[in-house]
Amino acid sequence: MPNAAETELRQHLRSMNRRNFLRGIGATLALPTFASMMPSKLLAATQALETATTPTGAPLRTAFVAFPNGAIPDRWWPTGGMSDFAFGETLSPLQGLRDRFQVLGGLDHLNANPGNDGGGDHARGNGVFLTGVRLKKSATDVQAGISIDQVIAREIGDLTRFPSLELTCDANRKSSGCDSGYSCAYQYNISWKSPTTPMTPENNPRLVFERLFGAGEQGHRQANAQQRMENRRSVLDFVMDDARSLQRRLAHDDREKLDQYLTGVRDVESRIQRAEKFGPNVDPARKTPEGIPESHADYVQVMYDMMLLAFKTDSTRVCTFVLGHDGDNRSFSEIGISEGHHDLSHHQNNAERVDKVATIDRWYVEQFANFLQRMDETEDVDGNSLLHNSRIVYGSGNADGNRHTHHDLPVLLAGGGGGMLKPGRFVKHSNQPMTNLYLSLADQVGVKNLERFGDSTGRLANI
């Protein structure tokens, strides 16, 4: 027999369905999370509705933001105690948000260490960042591991239009071999659907926006998205009919190749079915981005905007963002630095080069602070901010870029997790795998039966 809370919830949901759902589809799921269309605290009344929600019933969002080439350690780390810490030079742009995030010390990715594999710390730093596994050193035989964002997306992805969203500011990508014999797949991807399948991030903000909301000007996007969905369905039907006819005439080995191809087709089909389930998304009152901005600061900020929009409209609750792959040698003429970032990171303790790397580190933190500020100023369905109802990991797979170390990684954990996190602190965790943090974050979002992840040794307490 249902208890009183469950009975009240069911009655409320039935009433909400009658009043607020649009014809034929669960269109509320495509709209921003309006308070009048959610049962607020009643959503936490039953275990079935606790996945990927905060204690108030608002969506619980998770993001992982990776910056390249580590950081200058003595400029990154705060001084002082857990609550009375003082910011160093690099994190000082976050001073006004000190109660909105925590600095996590003592987290390691030991599987990014060389071991018997020799060079390739940048590829390992990137490929291990969200997987925590030992990568196979090969330019062609890729073996990594499923990343924590995809573990979470598998559990909660059916709640939103897109199970996850992958973004990058790497405008140009290489293929085949990259860092010291490692595949470029390791160096450019932090999100992995399987040990052999990376989730390739999108680097064009226009394409991200059109994927989320449809192409065209405001007022036409929903119709355009619907038409595109129907066109894709027609093409898929044709492909599947043609494949069935072809399959009967193929030899055994060729049928296996066709089956592999059809697996990819079925994945596309499932995405179309998901889009049909949720219907066209909202039509934001903003212009579609024109493409990749000329200014790198504008580029980074517009990609952060895409993440914010995706979270605000509940289009997804899982996102990864690669600010630049590890080993990125971008110059920063906008802040007066003409040398490449990676070249400078091998500073050999030259004071001038150290200062320039620290300036780049701080620049990345400034961009992150701007994003957090906008998240903090955006009200969520429950009256809290989007930032309060999020968990955002900001970090690098390298610690000291000069020495290619992977212990005591520079890591921030922003947001309040809907009240489940304790921001405003500098916590020294003392030589624990980064994957212990990921296990704790997975628990909070409702992932079940995940006893270990990567090289984890347990849950990370005191977050």
Side-chain angles (χ1 to χ4, degrees):
M1 293 293 291
N3 60 34
E6 291 172 334
T7 301
E8 184 180 0
L9 173 62
R10 291 171 182 174
Q11 292 173 345
H12 188 100
L13 288 174
R14 283 196 294 269
S15 175
M16 183 183 71
N17 288 343
R18 289 194 297 270
R19 291 195 309 270
N20 297 318
F21 270 41
L22 300 182
R23 280 193 297 261
I25 58 174
T28 56
L29 295 174
L31 296 171
T33 46
F34 296 121
S36 60
M37 300 179 75
M38 288 189 67
S40 189
K41 293 182 180 180
L42 288 176
L43 275 177
T46 65
Q47 183 68 34
L49 292 175
E50 288 179 357
T51 302
T53 58
T54 71
T56 65
L60 179 60
R61 306 162 182 90
T62 307
F64 301 92
V65 180
F67 66 89
N69 304 327
I72 302 298
D74 61 0
R75 310 284 183 97
W76 170 274
W77 295 113
T79 58
M82 183 181 296
S83 58
D84 62 347
F85 63 91
F87 287 110
E89 173 188 339
T90 300
L91 298 184
S92 60
L94 289 162
Q95 178 65 52
L97 293 157
R98 66 178 290 141
D99 293 332
R100 302 292 189 271
F101 72 97
Q102 49 190 303
V103 184
L104 304 182
L107 301 184
D108 308 329
H109 262 321
L110 299 186
N111 274 331
N113 287 337
N116 296 323
D117 291 328
D121 286 271
H122 294 296
R124 288 193 297 266
N126 228 62
V128 173
F129 185 58
L130 295 185
T131 66
V133 301
R134 190 76 185 170
L135 308 178
K136 182 173 183 178
K137 188 168 187 177
S138 171
T140 56
D141 186 7
V142 173
Q143 293 287 334
I146 184 172
S147 54
I148 191 62
D149 63 301
Q150 291 305 302
V151 171
I152 294 172
R154 284 183 181 181
E155 187 77 23
I156 71 171
D158 60 338
L159 300 176
T160 54
R161 180 182 310 277
F162 302 100
S164 61
L165 183 65
E166 294 76 38
L167 307 174
T168 185
C169 280
D170 275 324
N172 300 301
R173 297 165 60 94
K174 298 178 182 178
S175 59
S176 189
C178 274
D179 184 13
S180 303
Y182 281 95
S183 169
C184 295
Y186 299 132
Q187 192 146 357
Y188 289 98
N189 300 285
I190 63 172
S191 178
W192 290 76
K193 186 175 184 178
S194 77
T196 59
T197 308
M199 298 290 289
T200 304
E202 178 56 63
N203 63 22
N204 189 319
R206 180 184 185 90
L207 297 181
V208 175
F209 186 90
E210 291 179 347
R211 179 187 173 198
L212 290 172
F213 307 112
E217 300 296 324
Q218 187 186 14
H220 301 281
R221 292 170 182 147
Q222 292 179 328
N224 291 343
Q226 185 67 41
Q227 184 62 53
R228 183 171 59 181
M229 193 186 309
E230 292 171 1
N231 291 342
R232 286 176 175 169
R233 167 62 66 194
S234 299
V235 170
L236 268 186
D237 289 342
F238 175 80
V239 169
M240 293 300 287
D241 288 343
D242 201 41
R244 293 188 190 99
S245 175
L246 179 63
Q247 195 168 31
R248 292 190 293 269
R249 305 195 300 271
L250 293 178
H252 176 74
D253 289 347
D254 287 335
R255 284 200 300 270
E256 286 187 350
K257 293 179 182 178
L258 181 61
D259 285 342
Q260 292 174 359
Y261 166 73
L262 291 178
T263 298
V265 173
R266 292 185 190 99
D267 186 53
V268 175
E269 184 177 40
S270 68
R271 293 199 298 268
I272 292 176
Q273 290 172 344
R274 180 184 302 277
E276 290 173 340
K277 171 185 174 183
F278 288 104
N281 206 339
V282 294
D283 189 354
R286 62 164 291 168
K287 290 180 62 177
T288 301
E290 294 183 359
I292 297 176
E294 184 175 346
S295 160
H296 193 58
D298 291 343
Y299 186 13
V300 170
Q301 287 305 319
V302 74
M303 294 304 270
Y304 272 130
D305 283 346
M306 294 303 100
M307 192 193 309
L308 191 153
L309 275 173
F311 283 163
K312 181 179 180 181
T313 57
D314 204 24
S315 298
T316 189
R317 298 182 190 178
V318 183
C319 188
T320 57
F321 182 16
V322 178
L323 290 163
H325 67 277
D326 219 282
D328 186 15
N329 205 34
R330 182 190 316 279
S331 61
F332 288 79
S333 57
E334 296 171 71
I335 53 175
I337 297 176
S338 58
E339 300 95 329
H341 185 190
H342 172 245
D343 290 345
L344 286 171
S345 70
H346 292 283
H347 49 73
Q348 298 181 322
N349 297 318
N350 177 283
E352 182 181 0
R353 293 168 71 86
V354 169
D355 286 343
K356 288 182 177 181
V357 175
T359 299
I360 295 172
D361 296 344
R362 178 187 168 100
W363 182 88
Y364 274 120
V365 171
E366 287 172 349
Q367 312 314 307
F368 186 56
N370 289 337
F371 166 64
L372 293 187
Q373 187 65 49
R374 295 198 301 277
M375 288 280 288
D376 197 44
E377 292 169 353
T378 303
E379 185 173 322
D380 205 355
V381 57
D382 59 355
N384 291 307
S385 70
L386 282 181
L387 183 57
H388 176 78
N389 291 333
S390 299
R391 302 100 47 82
I392 304 170
V393 176
Y394 176 87
S396 179
N398 257 304
D400 183 344
N402 183 49
R403 298 186 296 125
H404 284 168
T405 59
H406 306 282
H407 63 272
D408 207 11
L409 297 165
V411 178
L412 306 178
L413 177 58
M420 290 182 280
L421 298 177
K422 297 177 284 187
R425 304 177 306 146
F426 173 30
V427 187
K428 302 172 186 178
H429 288 284
S430 184
N431 304 117
Q432 293 203 47
M434 182 85 163
T435 48
N436 286 4
L437 168 65
Y438 297 157
L439 275 179
S440 295
L441 295 179
D443 287 345
Q444 289 180 354
V445 84
V447 174
K448 303 176 183 66
N449 302 318
L450 187 63
E451 296 303 320
R452 293 196 62 192
F453 179 76
D455 62 350
S456 68
T457 58
R459 269 65 180 170
L460 188 68
N462 195 21
I463 59 170

